[in-house]
Amino acid sequence: MKCAELLFSGQKVHHVTLPSQSEPCEYHQKKVLLFLLEKCIKTKFKQAINAVLLRPGILVLINDADWELMGELDYQIQDKDNIVFISTLHGG
Amino acid sequence: MDQEVCSLKALLKDKEEEISALKNKLAQLEQGHASVLKLHDKVTPIRPLTVKTALSNEDIMRYSRQLLLPELGVKGQLNLAKTSVLIVGCGGLGCPLAQYLAAAGIGRLGLLDYDEVELSNLHRQVLHGEENQGQAKALSAAGSVKRLNSTVECIPYHLQLTPENALQLIQQYDIVADCSDNVPSRYLVNDACVLSGKPLVSASALRLEGQLTVYNYQGGPCYRCLYPVPPPPETVTNCSDGGVLGVVPGVMGCFQALEVLKLASGLSSSCSPQLLMFDAQNLRFRSIRLRPKQADCAVCGDNPSVTRLVDYEAFCGSAATDKCRKLNLLSKGQRISVQEYKSIVDTSVPHLLLDVRPLVEVDICHLPISLNIPLSGLEERRSEDIRLLQERISQLKQQMAGDGQPAVYVICKLGNDSQKAVQVLEKMSGSEVESIAVKDICGGLMAWAMNVDPTFPQY
Ligand SMILES: [Zn+2]
């Protein structure tokens, strides 16, 4: 469990269709994050949730912006949003 | 005849004068070099840079191709000459960074590294050569930089940056570049830059990825604004564990040089705080808009709790080097030395040798009798791995004709993962696999290479 990519079983990109399509493409991010994690992470589910939501050293990006700029968990996910988890590198 | 003797004598006199002039020049140069490249093992005050007010003809020729850029021009070039830059780490990032800064005519370079040049550095740390092995990296880098541009002042520091010396050192420079390879150093450099008000150009690289950000500049965020809490040490991968393609830090070090040159020349870096990410595998760059300076940041916020440098190794729970940590998860009885394992092999005691490294490392080298099941396969109970293990254990049991538990010895590169694997196997013993006696081989294959078989490759 060394970087975000490994959390997602080495797969770099996941395309996810969110449930309840009747609602007009707005979701509370907390739910979406949990959904993404459930869908994408095949092993170590609990650690993964901790890792992404609470673990230091991982930045959450929404459409190429730090999620802090987007209101973090209050952001309403839109259709076609691109959510990226990146882990900080330290090597040189 | 007389005439010939006279002219030969005159010629000889000329040549002798020439030789002595050359000898003087050489002595001067050697002296000059020695004083400039004196290796510093502690931080001492340095005299301010002499301010150049005009470019010499030689400067104009040397820098002509960049002087032609209206964005730089003579003014920018003179600005470079009066700027001093501290490079923390003369490795994969620091080498190309120092090289381009020197080539561009930066005034002074502080080159800091506590380490010596090793053969495994050369694929990415391109200022060091084969003949520099064993030499202080700071000195080796300074020598290369001097050959490239003797007008750049170089100060090599062969020391570890610590909370005790960091402020004194960083205060003497205009810009700091973080080219270090570990988490505690990154927090230390950040805090020292915030406390002394210096911009920090920070890059990092691992495997096939790189990242770059300018911190603490024009009211932007610092490293702690982004990462208030250090990552758990067991989640951090360094280059000696995870590997790195040399050109990746090369690319990132060049970007660092670009950012430093822009700051130093006064060429405005208009962009709001951003993180540049480089994905070498897909040849993609991604530029991330970053949060502004955080009011609640522990060091640069409104009410900072960090007002002086602290103990960063304690804060991060790891050492300020990229050398591997030594885990100690097992009791003495659960471990054997490589010499003890050697005698088990020599006396043909039936056993199973389990190599828990990833396949890519097993391809580099392995002991011929070992069975490879990566640690991750055991941890995740991958069914094909477990089946293979069960098979080999029952084979071993038949071989032993039924007396006692089958012996399983676990090995990895350095003896950390193998300890984790022993813990996993002990949980599995008697339930998921037959009851086994598991032991860790202390120090792993590198200890085997050091103490038992010197022909075994080290990596
Ligand atoms: Zn800050």
Side-chain angles (χ1 to χ4, degrees):
Chain A
M1 210 177 69
K2 292 218 164 154
C3 70
E5 197 184 307
L6 291 187
L7 284 174
F8 292 92
S9 316
Q11 192 179 334
K12 280 198 177 178
V13 179
H14 295 266
H15 293 281
V16 178
T17 310
L18 297 173
S20 62
Q21 292 292 353
S22 55
E23 283 175 42
C25 301
E26 277 195 6
Y27 299 92
H28 196 271
Q29 175 157 336
K30 215 176 263 176
K31 268 191 226 149
V32 173
L33 276 174
L34 292 176
F35 178 77
L36 283 176
L37 292 168
E38 207 167 356
K39 191 111 179 158
C40 306
I41 298 179
K42 293 176 181 102
T43 54
K44 302 180 190 172
F45 182 60
K46 270 207 180 121
Q47 289 114 299
I49 290 201
N50 285 338
V52 176
L53 289 185
L54 308 169
R55 202 193 95 185
I58 289 195
L59 279 185
V60 181
L61 312 177
I62 301 171
N63 300 331
D64 282 354
D66 186 346
W67 77 331
E68 200 272 348
L69 293 169
M70 317 292 276
E72 298 193 353
L73 286 173
D74 297 327
Y75 176 74
Q76 301 286 307
I77 301 251
Q78 318 285 313
D79 194 18
K80 298 208 168 64
D81 270 356
N82 184 16
I83 300 176
V84 179
F85 303 99
I86 57 163
S87 45
T88 337
L89 307 175
H90 304 94
Chain B
M1 188 68 174
D2 272 1
Q3 212 183 341
E4 210 186 328
V5 169
C6 276
S7 75
L8 274 175
K9 275 183 178 167
L11 191 64
L12 201 58
K13 199 173 166 236
D14 278 355
K15 293 284 176 202
E16 274 165 0
E17 275 169 14
E18 201 185 330
I19 285 173
S20 100
L22 284 173
K23 276 186 177 164
N24 274 336
K25 198 173 170 188
L26 178 67
Q28 261 175 8
L29 276 178
E30 280 177 345
Q31 220 173 19
H33 246 84
S35 68
V36 171
L37 286 185
K38 192 179 154 292
L39 191 57
H40 293 238
D41 55 9
K42 57 177 185 295
V43 179
T44 47
I46 45 176
R47 54 173 183 76
L49 266 175
T50 35
V51 176
K52 218 186 251 185
T53 51
L55 297 175
S56 68
N57 287 356
E58 206 183 306
D59 289 338
I60 289 172
M61 181 58 89
R62 178 190 279 262
Y63 305 117
S64 55
R65 298 305 185 270
Q66 64 191 40
L67 285 172
L68 289 170
L69 298 172
E71 293 84 353
L72 188 80
V74 172
K75 189 159 171 271
Q77 190 67 51
L78 288 170
N79 284 341
L80 292 185
K82 63 182 182 209
T83 303
S84 59
V85 180
L86 177 68
I87 298 182
V88 181
C90 301
L93 296 162
C95 283
L97 169 60
Q99 189 173 27
Y100 274 99
L101 292 184
I106 204 86
R108 174 183 284 157
L109 282 181
L111 298 161
L112 183 144
D113 206 302
Y114 61 87
D115 216 353
E116 285 89 31
V117 178
E118 288 172 34
L119 188 59
S120 64
N121 300 147
L122 302 187
H123 81 118
R124 67 187 191 284
Q125 304 182 9
V126 292
L127 288 181
H128 316 305
E130 290 172 4
E131 73 282 6
N132 300 115
Q133 286 178 73
Q135 201 179 42
K137 280 187 187 176
L139 192 62
S140 163
S144 296
V145 162
K146 271 283 169 193
R147 275 195 295 282
L148 174 63
N149 190 345
S150 61
T151 67
V152 172
E153 198 184 311
C154 277
I155 306 180
Y157 299 98
H158 184 54
L159 52 87
Q160 173 103 47
L161 198 68
T162 64
E164 289 72 39
N165 63 23
L167 281 178
Q168 196 199 349
L169 182 61
I170 282 174
Q171 273 160 0
Q172 302 180 354
Y173 288 84
D174 302 313
I175 300 172
V176 179
D178 188 349
C179 304
S180 69
D181 54 16
N182 62 82
V183 187
S185 296
R186 294 204 176 261
Y187 280 96
L188 167 61
V189 173
N190 176 70
D191 290 2
C193 284
V194 171
L195 295 177
S196 25
K198 308 288 180 181
L200 171 60
V201 180
S202 178
S204 56
L206 184 71
R207 300 195 178 106
L208 292 164
E209 285 178 276
Q211 295 174 351
L212 171 93
T213 302
V214 179
Y215 293 110
N216 198 37
Y217 180 60
Q218 290 184 334
C222 81
Y223 188 73
R224 273 192 198 253
C225 290
L226 254 70
Y227 311 108
V229 181
E234 67 277 10
T235 66
V236 176
T237 311
N238 59 29
C239 290
S240 51
D241 275 352
V244 62
L245 194 68
V247 65
V248 175
V251 168
M252 299 316 294
C254 287
F255 272 112
Q256 256 179 312
L258 180 64
E259 289 308 298
V260 170
L261 289 175
K262 277 155 59 185
L263 298 190
S265 65
L267 208 159
S268 62
S269 163
S270 57
C271 48
S272 53
Q274 59 173 326
L275 162 66
L276 182 74
M277 289 168 52
F278 174 42
D279 169 0
Q281 186 145 34
N282 299 306
L283 198 64
R284 252 202 293 260
F285 288 99
R286 192 196 278 269
S287 179
I288 310 300
R289 280 184 298 128
L290 289 178
R291 67 194 70 177
K293 181 188 174 105
Q294 300 291 288
D296 60 353
C297 175
V299 66
C300 80
D302 296 340
N303 291 302
S305 55
V306 179
T307 51
R308 54 181 189 85
L309 299 179
V310 298
D311 181 343
Y312 292 88
E313 298 195 341
F315 175 61
C316 301
S318 57
T321 73
D322 83 329
K323 309 278 185 257
C324 290
R325 307 180 314 278
K326 283 230 180 309
L327 292 181
N328 228 330
L329 305 174
L330 304 176
S331 69
K332 258 213 164 96
Q334 293 170 293
R335 313 185 74 179
I336 61 167
S337 68
V338 285
Q339 290 90 346
E340 285 171 292
Y341 179 69
K342 171 81 165 54
S343 67
I344 289 168
V345 175
D346 288 345
T347 51
S348 310
V349 180
H351 70 278
L352 175 62
L353 176 64
L354 189 64
D355 186 334
V356 294
R357 294 173 302 152
L359 185 62
V360 66
E361 289 183 46
V362 175
D363 280 345
I364 297 172
C365 57
H366 59 272
L367 291 173
I369 56 162
S370 62
L371 168 69
N372 174 227
I373 297 179
L375 175 62
S376 59
L378 295 173
E379 283 178 335
E380 290 161 23
R381 308 288 199 272
R382 232 172 269 148
S383 54
E384 67 270 26
D385 287 336
I386 302 301
R387 214 175 309 123
L388 185 61
L389 185 63
Q390 286 165 343
E391 263 173 43
R392 293 292 295 268
I393 289 173
S394 36
Q395 275 172 22
L396 177 60
K397 200 152 186 195
Q398 282 169 3
Q399 225 179 311
M400 290 169 58
D403 43 74
Q405 289 174 309
V408 178
Y409 298 101
V410 187
I411 201 160
C412 65
K413 182 187 177 188
L414 291 164
N416 289 337
D417 278 359
S418 57
Q419 295 182 62
K420 295 183 194 163
V422 166
Q423 291 183 324
V424 176
L425 287 166
E426 285 190 334
K427 275 200 204 109
M428 294 166 67
S429 169
S431 55
E432 291 155 89
V433 297
E434 285 184 66
S435 174
I436 46 175
V438 201
K439 281 189 179 166
D440 165 52
I441 300 178
C442 251
L445 288 165
M446 295 305 101
W448 178 266
M450 289 282 280
N451 304 319
V452 175
D453 178 5
T455 68
F456 194 84
Q458 298 187 42
Y459 65 95

